[in-house]
Amino acid sequence: MKIKIIGSGFAGLSSALYLSRNPSNFITVYDKFNCVQSVGAGILIQPSSMEVLRKLNLYDDMLKRGEKIYNLVGINHRDKQVFLTSYNDYATQCFGVGIHRSTLFQLLYDQCKTKVNIKFELEREITSLEDQSLFSDLLIVANGSHSCLREQVPIKQSYRLYPYGCLWTTIEQEYTVPNTLYQYLKYSREMLGMLPSGVDDHGKRIISVFWSLPVTSRNKYTKEEILKEMKFHLRHQKPELIEKLSQANYSFAVYADVYMKKYDHRNIVFIGDAAHGMSPQLGQGANMALLDSYFLSKVLAESDNNVELALPKYTSIRSHHIKFYAQASKLLTPLYQSDLQLYGRFRDLLFSIAKYMQFSRNISSQILCGKKTSWIRNKEIKY
Protein backbone atom coordinates (compact mmCIF):
# COMPACT_ATOMS: atom_id res chain seq x y z
CA MET A 1 0.00 0.00 0.00
CA LYS A 2 1.29 3.45 -0.92
CA ILE A 3 1.04 5.73 2.12
CA LYS A 4 1.80 9.44 2.28
CA ILE A 5 2.18 11.29 5.58
CA ILE A 6 2.09 15.09 5.70
CA GLY A 7 4.06 16.30 8.71
CA SER A 8 7.00 14.84 10.63
CA GLY A 9 5.95 15.51 14.21
CA PHE A 10 5.14 12.87 16.81
CA ALA A 11 1.96 11.79 15.04
CA GLY A 12 3.62 11.52 11.64
CA LEU A 13 6.77 9.71 12.74
CA SER A 14 5.05 7.25 15.05
CA SER A 15 2.47 6.46 12.34
CA ALA A 16 5.28 5.81 9.89
CA LEU A 17 6.94 3.42 12.34
CA TYR A 18 3.80 1.47 13.08
CA LEU A 19 2.77 1.19 9.44
CA SER A 20 6.27 0.21 8.35
CA ARG A 21 5.84 -3.08 10.19
CA ASN A 22 3.81 -4.27 7.24
CA PRO A 23 6.43 -4.91 4.55
CA SER A 24 3.84 -4.28 1.82
CA ASN A 25 3.48 -0.65 2.97
CA PHE A 26 5.65 1.99 1.31
CA ILE A 27 5.63 5.22 3.27
CA THR A 28 6.68 8.73 2.31
CA VAL A 29 6.84 11.46 4.95
CA TYR A 30 6.60 15.04 3.65
CA ASP A 31 7.80 18.12 5.48
CA LYS A 32 7.96 21.71 4.31
CA PHE A 33 11.26 22.37 6.11
CA ASN A 34 14.69 21.47 4.80
CA CYS A 35 15.49 19.27 7.79
CA VAL A 36 13.46 17.05 10.09
CA GLN A 37 13.39 18.62 13.53
CA SER A 38 11.21 19.37 16.53
CA VAL A 39 11.00 22.81 18.11
CA GLY A 40 9.84 23.28 21.69
CA ALA A 41 10.60 22.60 25.31
CA GLY A 42 9.70 19.69 27.56
CA ILE A 43 6.62 17.52 27.35
CA LEU A 44 5.01 15.20 29.85
CA ILE A 45 4.56 11.63 28.63
CA GLN A 46 1.61 10.02 30.36
CA PRO A 47 0.93 6.35 31.17
CA SER A 48 -1.63 6.29 28.34
CA SER A 49 1.05 6.63 25.66
CA MET A 50 3.82 4.70 27.42
CA GLU A 51 2.21 1.51 26.15
CA VAL A 52 2.50 2.93 22.62
CA LEU A 53 6.22 3.57 23.12
CA ARG A 54 6.67 0.07 24.53
CA LYS A 55 5.20 -1.39 21.36
CA LEU A 56 7.69 0.70 19.36
CA ASN A 57 10.57 -0.55 21.57
CA LEU A 58 11.33 3.02 22.65
CA TYR A 59 10.13 2.89 26.24
CA ASP A 60 13.51 2.07 27.84
CA ASP A 61 15.32 4.72 25.81
CA MET A 62 12.70 7.29 26.85
CA LEU A 63 13.22 6.45 30.53
CA LYS A 64 16.99 6.81 30.19
CA ARG A 65 16.71 10.33 28.77
CA GLY A 66 13.63 11.52 30.70
CA GLU A 67 12.84 12.13 34.36
CA LYS A 68 10.06 10.35 36.19
CA ILE A 69 7.34 12.68 37.47
CA TYR A 70 5.33 11.51 40.48
CA ASN A 71 3.47 14.65 41.48
CA LEU A 72 2.03 17.88 40.08
CA VAL A 73 1.99 20.70 42.60
CA GLY A 74 0.31 24.09 42.29
CA ILE A 75 1.33 26.98 44.58
CA ASN A 76 -0.33 30.38 44.53
CA HIS A 77 1.17 33.80 45.17
CA ARG A 78 0.33 33.51 48.88
CA ASP A 79 2.53 30.39 49.20
CA LYS A 80 -0.56 28.22 49.59
CA GLN A 81 -0.58 24.80 47.96
CA VAL A 82 -3.62 24.94 45.69
CA PHE A 83 -3.46 21.41 44.34
CA LEU A 84 -1.49 18.20 44.57
CA THR A 85 -2.12 15.60 41.89
CA SER A 86 -0.26 12.36 42.45
CA TYR A 87 0.11 9.53 39.97
CA ASN A 88 0.11 7.21 42.99
CA ASP A 89 -3.60 7.95 43.43
CA TYR A 90 -4.17 6.20 40.10
CA ALA A 91 -1.93 3.20 40.71
CA THR A 92 1.01 2.29 42.92
CA GLN A 93 4.36 3.12 41.32
CA CYS A 94 2.61 4.98 38.49
CA PHE A 95 4.40 7.99 37.01
CA GLY A 96 4.69 10.33 34.06
CA VAL A 97 7.95 11.14 32.30
CA GLY A 98 9.23 14.64 31.65
CA ILE A 99 11.37 14.67 28.53
CA HIS A 100 12.56 17.29 26.09
CA ARG A 101 10.50 17.38 22.92
CA SER A 102 13.55 17.10 20.67
CA THR A 103 14.81 14.05 22.60
CA LEU A 104 11.68 12.01 22.01
CA PHE A 105 11.53 13.27 18.44
CA GLN A 106 15.08 12.07 17.81
CA LEU A 107 14.28 8.61 19.20
CA LEU A 108 11.39 8.31 16.74
CA TYR A 109 13.30 9.75 13.81
CA ASP A 110 16.38 7.56 14.35
CA GLN A 111 14.21 4.46 14.29
CA CYS A 112 12.43 5.68 11.14
CA LYS A 113 15.79 5.95 9.37
CA THR A 114 16.40 2.23 9.94
CA LYS A 115 13.26 1.25 8.02
CA VAL A 116 13.75 0.50 4.34
CA ASN A 117 10.10 1.24 3.52
CA ILE A 118 10.11 4.77 5.01
CA LYS A 119 11.52 7.69 3.05
CA PHE A 120 11.48 11.44 3.67
CA GLU A 121 10.84 14.22 1.19
CA LEU A 122 11.88 17.55 2.67
CA GLU A 123 11.18 21.07 1.49
CA ARG A 124 7.89 19.76 0.11
CA GLU A 125 4.94 21.79 1.32
CA ILE A 126 1.74 19.99 0.40
CA THR A 127 -1.02 22.43 -0.51
CA SER A 128 -3.57 20.17 -2.24
CA LEU A 129 -5.06 17.09 -0.60
CA GLU A 130 -6.91 16.08 -3.75
CA ASP A 131 -3.73 15.83 -5.80
CA GLN A 132 -1.97 13.73 -3.16
CA SER A 133 -4.93 11.45 -2.43
CA LEU A 134 -5.28 10.53 -6.11
CA PHE A 135 -1.75 9.12 -6.15
CA SER A 136 -1.79 7.29 -2.82
CA ASP A 137 -3.79 4.54 -1.16
CA LEU A 138 -3.77 6.35 2.20
CA LEU A 139 -3.07 10.00 2.95
CA ILE A 140 -2.36 10.91 6.58
CA VAL A 141 -2.51 14.58 7.56
CA ALA A 142 -0.38 15.20 10.65
CA ASN A 143 0.94 18.73 10.20
CA GLY A 144 -0.28 20.31 13.42
CA SER A 145 -3.12 22.40 14.79
CA HIS A 146 -2.45 25.32 12.45
CA SER A 147 -2.84 23.13 9.34
CA CYS A 148 -4.43 24.83 6.34
CA LEU A 149 -5.41 21.48 4.83
CA ARG A 150 -8.47 20.76 7.00
CA GLU A 151 -10.65 23.21 5.09
CA GLN A 152 -10.17 21.17 1.91
CA VAL A 153 -12.38 18.35 3.16
CA PRO A 154 -16.19 18.56 3.63
CA ILE A 155 -16.12 17.83 7.37
CA LYS A 156 -17.75 20.02 10.00
CA GLN A 157 -14.86 21.67 11.84
CA SER A 158 -13.67 24.68 13.78
CA TYR A 159 -10.36 26.37 14.52
CA ARG A 160 -9.89 28.97 17.25
CA LEU A 161 -6.68 30.46 18.61
CA TYR A 162 -6.40 30.50 22.38
CA PRO A 163 -6.12 34.02 23.81
CA TYR A 164 -3.15 32.89 25.92
CA GLY A 165 0.14 31.46 24.72
CA CYS A 166 3.38 30.98 26.60
CA LEU A 167 7.02 31.94 26.67
CA TRP A 168 9.21 28.89 27.04
CA THR A 169 12.85 28.02 27.51
CA THR A 170 15.02 25.15 28.69
CA ILE A 171 17.87 25.49 31.17
CA GLU A 172 20.37 23.23 32.91
CA GLN A 173 19.37 23.01 36.54
CA GLU A 174 20.47 20.67 39.33
CA TYR A 175 18.84 22.38 42.27
CA THR A 176 15.08 22.21 41.71
CA VAL A 177 13.04 19.48 43.41
CA PRO A 178 13.25 16.28 41.34
CA ASN A 179 10.32 14.22 40.05
CA THR A 180 7.78 17.03 40.47
CA LEU A 181 6.13 19.43 38.05
CA TYR A 182 5.55 22.77 39.77
CA GLN A 183 3.08 25.44 38.73
CA TYR A 184 3.23 28.85 40.39
CA LEU A 185 -0.03 30.75 40.11
CA LYS A 186 -1.41 34.21 40.68
CA TYR A 187 -5.13 34.05 40.07
CA SER A 188 -5.62 33.02 36.42
CA ARG A 189 -3.50 35.79 34.92
CA GLU A 190 -0.05 34.53 35.86
CA MET A 191 1.28 30.99 35.65
CA LEU A 192 4.87 29.78 35.79
CA GLY A 193 5.48 26.11 35.06
CA MET A 194 8.67 24.17 35.75
CA LEU A 195 8.91 20.68 34.30
CA PRO A 196 11.96 18.46 34.87
CA SER A 197 12.78 17.27 31.35
CA GLY A 198 15.44 14.62 31.75
CA VAL A 199 18.99 15.07 30.53
CA ASP A 200 20.44 16.78 27.47
CA ASP A 201 22.94 15.33 25.00
CA HIS A 202 25.75 16.07 27.47
CA GLY A 203 24.09 14.25 30.36
CA LYS A 204 23.15 17.48 32.16
CA ARG A 205 19.80 17.63 33.98
CA ILE A 206 17.42 20.11 32.35
CA ILE A 207 14.12 21.72 33.22
CA SER A 208 11.62 23.37 30.92
CA VAL A 209 10.17 26.70 32.00
CA PHE A 210 6.82 28.07 30.80
CA TRP A 211 5.39 31.53 31.42
CA SER A 212 1.75 32.11 30.48
CA LEU A 213 1.12 35.31 28.54
CA PRO A 214 -1.83 36.77 26.57
CA VAL A 215 -1.14 36.60 22.84
CA THR A 216 -2.03 40.29 22.47
CA SER A 217 0.52 41.22 25.15
CA ARG A 218 3.48 39.24 23.88
CA ASN A 219 5.28 42.40 22.71
CA LYS A 220 4.15 44.68 25.55
CA TYR A 221 6.33 43.18 28.26
CA THR A 222 10.10 43.37 28.41
CA LYS A 223 12.20 40.43 29.47
CA GLU A 224 13.14 42.33 32.63
CA GLU A 225 9.48 42.80 33.59
CA ILE A 226 8.71 39.13 33.14
CA LEU A 227 11.83 38.06 35.06
CA LYS A 228 10.72 40.30 37.92
CA GLU A 229 7.43 38.42 38.11
CA MET A 230 9.21 35.07 37.84
CA LYS A 231 11.53 36.08 40.66
CA PHE A 232 8.54 36.77 42.89
CA HIS A 233 7.16 33.26 42.35
CA LEU A 234 10.61 31.69 42.79
CA ARG A 235 11.64 33.78 45.80
CA HIS A 236 12.29 30.64 47.86
CA GLN A 237 14.52 29.07 45.23
CA LYS A 238 18.28 29.39 45.02
CA PRO A 239 19.62 32.55 43.30
CA GLU A 240 21.35 30.38 40.70
CA LEU A 241 17.97 29.54 39.20
CA ILE A 242 17.03 33.19 38.69
CA GLU A 243 20.44 33.86 37.19
CA LYS A 244 20.02 31.08 34.62
CA LEU A 245 16.53 32.29 33.75
CA SER A 246 17.88 35.80 33.16
CA GLN A 247 20.49 34.45 30.74
CA ALA A 248 18.12 32.16 28.84
CA ASN A 249 16.61 32.80 25.42
CA TYR A 250 12.82 32.59 25.21
CA SER A 251 10.43 31.64 22.42
CA PHE A 252 6.68 32.19 22.23
CA ALA A 253 4.16 29.44 21.47
CA VAL A 254 0.59 29.96 20.27
CA TYR A 255 -2.05 27.25 20.70
CA ALA A 256 -5.35 26.53 18.99
CA ASP A 257 -8.52 24.65 19.72
CA VAL A 258 -9.28 22.34 16.77
CA TYR A 259 -12.51 20.39 16.35
CA MET A 260 -13.48 17.95 13.60
CA LYS A 261 -16.76 16.05 13.63
CA LYS A 262 -14.94 13.09 12.11
CA TYR A 263 -11.33 12.46 11.17
CA ASP A 264 -11.66 10.63 7.87
CA HIS A 265 -12.76 11.46 4.33
CA ARG A 266 -12.37 8.87 1.58
CA ASN A 267 -8.70 7.77 1.80
CA ILE A 268 -7.65 10.79 3.91
CA VAL A 269 -7.31 10.75 7.69
CA PHE A 270 -6.36 13.53 10.11
CA ILE A 271 -4.40 12.70 13.25
CA GLY A 272 -2.63 14.50 16.10
CA ASP A 273 -3.12 18.23 16.60
CA ALA A 274 -4.24 18.56 12.98
CA ALA A 275 -7.40 16.70 14.02
CA HIS A 276 -7.89 17.77 17.63
CA GLY A 277 -5.54 20.50 18.82
CA MET A 278 -6.22 21.67 22.34
CA SER A 279 -4.76 23.69 25.19
CA PRO A 280 -1.53 22.27 26.67
CA GLN A 281 -2.95 22.70 30.18
CA LEU A 282 -3.71 18.98 30.56
CA GLY A 283 -0.39 17.95 29.03
CA GLN A 284 -1.97 15.52 26.56
CA GLY A 285 -0.92 16.73 23.09
CA ALA A 286 2.02 14.40 22.43
CA ASN A 287 0.21 11.53 24.12
CA MET A 288 -2.85 11.93 21.90
CA ALA A 289 -0.62 11.96 18.82
CA LEU A 290 1.09 8.71 19.84
CA LEU A 291 -2.25 7.07 20.62
CA ASP A 292 -3.65 8.17 17.25
CA SER A 293 -0.80 6.49 15.41
CA TYR A 294 -1.23 3.24 17.33
CA PHE A 295 -4.98 2.98 16.80
CA LEU A 296 -4.71 3.93 13.14
CA SER A 297 -2.23 1.13 12.50
CA LYS A 298 -4.37 -1.24 14.57
CA VAL A 299 -7.57 -0.72 12.54
CA LEU A 300 -5.63 -0.97 9.27
CA ALA A 301 -4.08 -4.26 10.35
CA GLU A 302 -7.44 -5.64 11.48
CA SER A 303 -9.03 -4.72 8.14
CA ASP A 304 -6.14 -6.07 6.02
CA ASN A 305 -5.32 -2.54 4.83
CA ASN A 306 -8.86 -1.95 3.59
CA VAL A 307 -8.85 1.84 3.93
CA GLU A 308 -12.56 2.17 3.20
CA LEU A 309 -13.37 0.02 6.24
CA ALA A 310 -10.52 1.09 8.51
CA LEU A 311 -10.80 4.88 8.53
CA PRO A 312 -14.43 5.16 9.70
CA LYS A 313 -13.58 2.60 12.39
CA TYR A 314 -10.62 4.74 13.44
CA THR A 315 -12.89 7.78 13.86
CA SER A 316 -15.30 5.69 15.93
CA ILE A 317 -12.58 4.30 18.21
CA ARG A 318 -10.87 7.63 18.88
CA SER A 319 -13.90 9.92 19.15
CA HIS A 320 -14.91 9.32 22.77
CA HIS A 321 -11.41 9.64 24.18
CA ILE A 322 -10.61 12.78 22.19
CA LYS A 323 -14.00 14.36 22.94
CA PHE A 324 -13.53 13.87 26.68
CA TYR A 325 -10.12 15.58 26.76
CA ALA A 326 -11.25 18.37 24.45
CA GLN A 327 -14.11 19.11 26.86
CA ALA A 328 -11.84 18.85 29.91
CA SER A 329 -9.36 21.22 28.27
CA LYS A 330 -12.05 23.81 27.53
CA LEU A 331 -13.37 23.52 31.08
CA LEU A 332 -10.06 23.78 32.92
CA THR A 333 -8.03 26.18 30.77
CA PRO A 334 -9.87 29.38 31.83
CA LEU A 335 -9.12 28.52 35.47
CA TYR A 336 -5.42 28.90 34.66
CA GLN A 337 -5.35 31.33 31.75
CA SER A 338 -7.90 34.12 31.84
CA ASP A 339 -8.16 37.87 32.38
CA LEU A 340 -10.91 37.29 34.97
CA GLN A 341 -9.43 37.15 38.46
CA LEU A 342 -12.58 35.41 39.68
CA TYR A 343 -11.67 32.22 37.83
CA GLY A 344 -8.38 31.98 39.68
CA ARG A 345 -10.03 32.58 43.05
CA PHE A 346 -12.61 29.90 42.30
CA ARG A 347 -9.86 27.44 41.27
CA ASP A 348 -7.87 28.04 44.43
CA LEU A 349 -10.92 27.48 46.63
CA LEU A 350 -12.23 24.44 44.76
CA PHE A 351 -8.91 22.62 44.37
CA SER A 352 -7.80 23.39 47.92
CA ILE A 353 -10.81 21.44 49.16
CA ALA A 354 -10.77 18.73 46.48
CA LYS A 355 -7.18 17.68 47.21
CA TYR A 356 -8.31 16.26 50.56
CA MET A 357 -11.08 14.15 49.00
CA GLN A 358 -9.93 10.75 47.82
CA PHE A 359 -12.67 10.52 45.20
CA SER A 360 -11.62 13.76 43.53
CA ARG A 361 -7.94 12.76 43.80
CA ASN A 362 -8.72 9.50 42.01
CA ILE A 363 -10.58 11.29 39.20
CA SER A 364 -7.84 13.92 38.83
CA SER A 365 -5.10 11.30 38.58
CA GLN A 366 -7.10 9.26 36.07
CA ILE A 367 -7.58 12.32 33.88
CA LEU A 368 -3.89 13.18 34.22
CA CYS A 369 -2.85 9.68 33.14
CA GLY A 370 -4.67 10.26 29.86
CA LYS A 371 -6.89 7.19 29.94
CA LYS A 372 -10.37 8.45 30.78
CA THR A 373 -13.07 8.45 28.08
CA SER A 374 -16.26 9.53 29.87
CA TRP A 375 -17.47 11.99 32.51
CA ILE A 376 -20.10 9.58 33.80
CA ARG A 377 -18.85 6.05 33.28
CA ASN A 378 -15.54 4.84 34.63
CA LYS A 379 -14.30 3.75 31.21
CA GLU A 380 -10.74 3.84 29.95
CA ILE A 381 -9.13 3.40 26.56
CA LYS A 382 -8.46 -0.18 25.52
CA TYR A 383 -5.38 -0.99 23.48
Side-chain angles (χ1 to χ4, degrees):
M1 185 163 70
K2 187 176 182 181
I3 302 172
K4 295 183 179 182
I5 301 176
I6 304 172
S8 60
F10 295 137
L13 293 182
S14 55
S15 293
L17 284 175
Y18 270 117
L19 295 172
S20 70
R21 293 181 168 185
N22 185 336
S24 67
N25 290 337
F26 296 92
I27 303 147
T28 304
V29 181
Y30 296 89
D31 200 290
K32 65 181 179 180
F33 299 106
N34 60 6
C35 62
V36 179
Q37 61 182 346
S38 178
V39 178
I43 55 176
L44 186 55
I45 297 299
Q46 306 291 6
S48 59
S49 61
M50 290 183 192
E51 183 63 27
V52 175
L53 292 172
R54 282 193 183 94
K55 293 178 185 296
L56 290 175
N57 299 316
L58 292 174
Y59 178 76
D60 292 337
D61 290 331
M62 176 198 66
L63 286 184
K64 290 176 184 177
R65 292 294 303 272
E67 182 171 326
K68 291 182 179 179
I69 304 295
Y70 297 113
N71 300 296
L72 277 67
V73 177
I75 300 172
N76 70 13
H77 59 293
R78 297 189 179 94
D79 284 336
K80 180 180 180 181
Q81 187 187 91
V82 175
F83 63 83
L84 169 62
T85 305
S86 173
Y87 285 95
N88 194 60
D89 287 322
Y90 178 77
T92 304
Q93 296 183 336
C94 185
F95 55 85
V97 175
I99 189 169
H100 198 277
R101 180 178 294 271
S102 63
T103 301
L104 180 59
F105 172 85
Q106 198 64 46
L107 292 175
L108 291 165
Y109 181 50
D110 286 347
Q111 193 168 120
C112 280
K113 290 189 294 184
T114 68
K115 307 298 182 181
V116 295
N117 54 344
I118 298 177
K119 71 173 184 176
F120 289 85
E121 289 204 13
L122 305 181
E123 294 187 279
R124 283 285 307 276
E125 183 171 7
I126 305 301
T127 58
S128 172
L129 290 181
E130 184 176 2
D131 291 344
Q132 295 299 322
S133 65
L134 288 175
F135 299 100
S136 59
D137 299 301
L138 173 62
L139 180 60
I140 301 172
V141 183
N143 61 339
S145 59
H146 306 300
S147 174
C148 297
L149 298 174
R150 280 187 302 269
E151 60 190 31
Q152 297 183 23
V153 295
I155 299 174
K156 184 180 180 180
Q157 58 186 268
S158 64
Y159 168 82
R160 181 179 65 87
L161 288 176
Y162 279 103
Y164 275 71
C166 80
L167 287 171
W168 60 266
T169 192
T170 303
I171 60 173
E172 292 182 2
Q173 179 56 247
E174 298 291 338
Y175 308 109
T176 52
V177 177
N179 310 117
T180 302
L181 187 162
Y182 276 95
Q183 290 185 336
Y184 299 91
L185 312 159
K186 185 176 181 181
Y187 304 117
S188 51
R189 180 76 179 184
E190 291 183 14
M191 180 176 67
L192 170 64
M194 304 193 72
L195 171 66
S197 302
V199 295
D200 61 17
D201 294 335
H202 306 290
K204 299 286 187 178
R205 181 175 182 258
I206 55 176
I207 62 170
S208 297
V209 181
F210 306 91
W211 178 259
S212 180
L213 195 65
V215 174
T216 56
S217 301
R218 59 183 296 184
N219 297 319
K220 293 182 181 179
Y221 294 94
T222 65
K223 182 178 179 180
E224 290 71 24
E225 290 174 321
I226 293 172
L227 285 169
K228 182 179 178 181
E229 299 297 331
M230 287 184 176
K231 188 175 181 179
F232 169 79
H233 290 287
L234 300 174
R235 57 193 179 278
H236 302 305
Q237 298 286 341
K238 292 187 176 183
E240 290 92 334
L241 176 58
I242 302 298
E243 180 64 24
K244 287 194 174 183
L245 289 174
S246 66
Q247 296 173 357
N249 294 317
Y250 294 82
S251 298
F252 191 77
V254 178
Y255 305 99
D257 175 78
V258 175
Y259 163 77
M260 298 185 76
K261 187 173 183 178
K262 64 174 187 172
Y263 311 120
D264 65 284
H265 175 67
R266 296 176 182 168
N267 65 334
I268 303 170
V269 63
F270 292 79
I271 64 173
D273 285 347
H276 45 71
M278 59 188 74
S279 164
Q281 189 58 50
L282 290 176
Q284 298 294 334
N287 299 279
M288 289 288 188
L290 292 169
L291 287 166
D292 286 353
S293 66
Y294 166 73
F295 283 108
L296 178 59
S297 67
K298 186 173 187 286
V299 296
L300 285 166
E302 291 173 349
S303 63
D304 294 323
N305 271 1
N306 186 323
V307 172
E308 187 177 351
L309 293 177
L311 297 192
K313 186 177 180 181
Y314 168 79
T315 286
S316 177
I317 288 175
R318 293 296 292 134
S319 289
H320 293 293
H321 184 231
I322 292 168
K323 182 180 179 180
F324 174 83
Y325 278 93
Q327 291 175 342
S329 175
K330 289 180 180 179
L331 180 67
L332 290 174
T333 296
L335 301 182
Y336 293 86
Q337 295 178 312
S338 170
D339 294 336
L340 295 178
Q341 192 178 109
L342 178 63
Y343 284 155
R345 291 181 181 274
F346 174 73
R347 175 204 62 216
D348 289 2
L349 175 62
L350 177 65
F351 290 179
S352 294
I353 297 171
K355 69 180 182 180
Y356 295 109
M357 303 168 63
Q358 191 59 50
F359 172 76
S360 67
R361 288 169 64 98
N362 291 344
I363 295 296
S364 296
S365 62
Q366 187 182 29
I367 292 174
L368 175 65
C369 287
K371 296 189 175 185
K372 198 165 176 57
T373 63
S374 171
W375 291 104
I376 301 174
R377 293 174 292 177
N378 189 29
K379 292 186 66 177
E380 295 188 347
I381 55 173
K382 295 180 179 179
Y383 296 94

